Amino acid sequence: MSKILTEVLRANRNYRSDFDKADLPMPPGRQFAILTCMDARLDPAKYAGLAEGDAHVIRNAGGRASDDAIRSLVISYKLLGTREWFVIHHTDCGMETFTSEIMTELLNSSLKTASVDADGWHDCCEGPGSTEGKYINWLTIKDQAISVTEDVIRIKSHPLVPSDIPVYGYIYDVKTGGLIEVPTATEAGQAT
Amino acid sequence: MSKILTEVLRANRNYRSDFDKADLPMPPGRQFAILTCMDARLDPAKYAGLAEGDAHVIRNAGGRASDDAIRSLVISYKLLGTREWFVIHHTDCGMETFTSEIMTELLNSSLKTASVDADGWHDCCEGPGSTEGKYINWLTIKDQAISVTEDVIRIKSHPLVPSDIPVYGYIYDVKTGGLIEVPTATEAGQAT
């Protein structure tokens, strides 16, 4: 068992040992959702003050309003009753450090094409590369205020999103822990 | 300003007031990533023992290995150095409570088609419905052990995923706070 797996299971035993959240209902108690980045430095429960049971948290590379994030938000609204949403990108995001072309080239030059041996998963790590990266939109970011605004507008404009849901746009500052409003996005997000 | 927005910004001011994480590097310090559900009852930082800076956390409805989750995992590996991944679904998941057909019907019957007035966002909440839901795969779940196994296999089989990355499959029990291994998934996830 790897060191990480051992540590995660040990931490989970500690969490479980004094767990007192068995009776929380499925719908988020505070009826809101946050879409934010997967970045390791971000802890939405801490930076936005969430306890278990409070709010849906959707995270991907960049905190982007991908089709999958829209899927999650529509389920969040329609089946589980959230009525306000936040889009929170952040400073010093990895998504600013590359372009789709760079990612495609990296993958083309060094990442293994998947292969499975007769006896199971192939255990080699790097190979001749794969051109599959060309077929993925990596949703990179050039400017956080623009990406937040674009994502709020995309969510608000989506045919499956009710137009009366406020969508607040913010940037999390990894140097201060603070949330900075993106006014254009937030104005677009507030119901008129 | 809504009650929720006021509360989130107040919580953030508290977090910011004694923030001491300004010097964390961008790559996750413990070099792993967790893919899990957006469910409000789940706090991956607590159930898996994460501090800010430790690990990437990717979340969507169900914790599914969607194309967008794959995008995030490949970026996590290739640009930011994670080398072990967890797929963690959970008991009592909202994704077990409906089917794609039910979701499509719900949206078709009651969710507003997006519209924008001349003076801004339309402020009505419900309308004639939208057939857009037909075009989305909602990635519902019938059985958590099966969904975890399928998602681990999908990730391991993806042409952009190096085959030597262990992918551990677990179910989080919302009644106990504990992680339950999904052996088939985890065996498939361990490099041979």
Side-chain angles (χ1 to χ4, degrees):
Chain A
M1 189 178 288
S2 82
K3 178 170 173 284
I4 289 297
L5 183 53
T6 303
E7 290 171 355
V8 165
L9 295 179
R10 185 188 306 130
N12 181 251
R13 279 194 298 275
N14 289 341
Y15 181 62
R16 181 178 181 157
S17 69
D18 54 4
F19 186 75
D20 59 357
K21 316 277 183 185
D23 297 324
L24 291 172
M26 185 188 294
R30 292 172 63 200
Q31 296 187 288
F32 72 103
I34 293 177
L35 169 60
T36 196
C37 185
M38 69 178 180
D39 191 287
R41 293 165 293 182
L42 275 54
D43 187 336
K46 288 186 181 170
Y47 77 55
L50 310 179
E52 290 97 322
D54 278 357
H56 283 146
V57 181
I58 301 157
R59 301 180 68 173
N60 62 35
R64 303 308 309 266
S66 60
D67 289 352
D68 195 53
I70 301 274
R71 172 183 73 88
S72 301
L73 287 168
V74 172
I75 289 168
S76 175
Y77 167 85
K78 192 69 193 170
L79 295 174
L80 295 161
T82 65
R83 292 295 177 264
E84 294 172 80
W85 296 341
F86 291 76
V87 174
I88 304 178
H89 297 176
H90 66 97
T91 60
D92 194 37
C93 184
M95 302 301 286
E96 296 170 295
T97 64
F98 70 103
T99 62
S100 281
E101 290 70 26
I102 290 171
M103 191 68 179
T104 299
E105 178 52 34
L106 272 174
L107 294 165
N108 192 34
S109 63
S110 70
L111 197 70
K112 238 195 97 291
T113 302
S115 71
V116 181
D117 286 340
D119 60 346
W121 300 107
H122 199 295
D123 62 353
C124 174
C125 53
E126 299 283 352
S130 169
T131 56
E132 283 283 328
K134 287 184 185 176
Y135 299 90
I136 294 183
N137 181 340
W138 297 96
L139 299 176
T140 59
I141 291 174
K142 277 190 189 169
D143 177 290
Q144 300 294 343
I146 293 172
S147 64
V148 167
T149 301
E150 286 177 349
D151 284 6
V152 168
I153 289 172
R154 178 167 201 236
I155 291 168
K156 292 289 295 183
S157 307
H158 195 279
L160 292 179
V161 172
S163 53
D164 65 333
I165 292 194
V167 186
Y168 311 116
Y170 281 83
I171 295 169
Y172 174 85
D173 185 337
V174 297
K175 292 294 180 197
T176 67
L179 290 172
I180 305 156
E181 187 184 0
V182 181
T184 311
T186 299
E187 283 158 25
Q190 280 167 346
T192 53
Chain B
M1 188 178 290
S2 82
K3 177 169 173 284
I4 289 296
L5 183 53
T6 303
E7 289 171 354
V8 166
L9 295 180
R10 185 187 306 129
N12 182 251
R13 279 194 298 274
N14 290 340
Y15 182 61
R16 181 178 182 157
S17 68
D18 54 4
F19 187 76
D20 60 358
K21 315 279 184 187
D23 297 324
L24 291 172
M26 185 189 293
R30 291 170 64 200
Q31 296 188 289
F32 73 101
I34 292 176
L35 169 60
T36 195
C37 185
M38 70 179 181
D39 191 286
R41 294 165 292 181
L42 276 54
D43 186 337
K46 288 186 181 170
Y47 77 57
L50 310 179
E52 291 98 320
D54 277 357
H56 283 146
V57 181
I58 300 157
R59 301 179 68 173
N60 62 36
R64 304 308 310 265
S66 60
D67 288 352
D68 196 53
I70 301 274
R71 173 183 73 87
S72 301
L73 287 168
V74 173
I75 289 169
S76 175
Y77 167 84
K78 192 68 192 173
L79 296 174
L80 295 161
T82 64
R83 292 294 178 265
E84 293 172 81
W85 296 340
F86 291 76
V87 173
I88 304 178
H89 297 176
H90 65 98
T91 60
D92 193 37
C93 184
M95 303 302 285
E96 295 169 295
T97 64
F98 69 104
T99 62
S100 281
E101 291 69 27
I102 289 171
M103 191 67 180
T104 299
E105 179 51 36
L106 272 173
L107 293 166
N108 192 34
S109 63
S110 71
L111 197 71
K112 237 196 99 290
T113 302
S115 70
V116 181
D117 285 340
D119 60 346
W121 299 107
H122 198 295
D123 62 353
C124 176
C125 53
E126 299 283 353
S130 169
T131 56
E132 283 283 327
K134 287 185 185 177
Y135 299 90
I136 294 182
N137 181 339
W138 297 95
L139 299 175
T140 58
I141 291 174
K142 278 190 188 168
D143 177 290
Q144 301 294 340
I146 293 172
S147 63
V148 167
T149 301
E150 287 177 348
D151 284 6
V152 168
I153 290 173
R154 178 168 201 236
I155 291 167
K156 293 288 296 183
S157 307
H158 195 279
L160 293 179
V161 171
S163 54
D164 65 333
I165 293 193
V167 185
Y168 311 117
Y170 281 83
I171 295 169
Y172 174 84
D173 184 338
V174 298
K175 292 293 180 198
T176 68
L179 290 173
I180 304 155
E181 187 182 359
V182 181
T184 310
T186 298
E187 282 158 26
Q190 281 167 345
T192 53

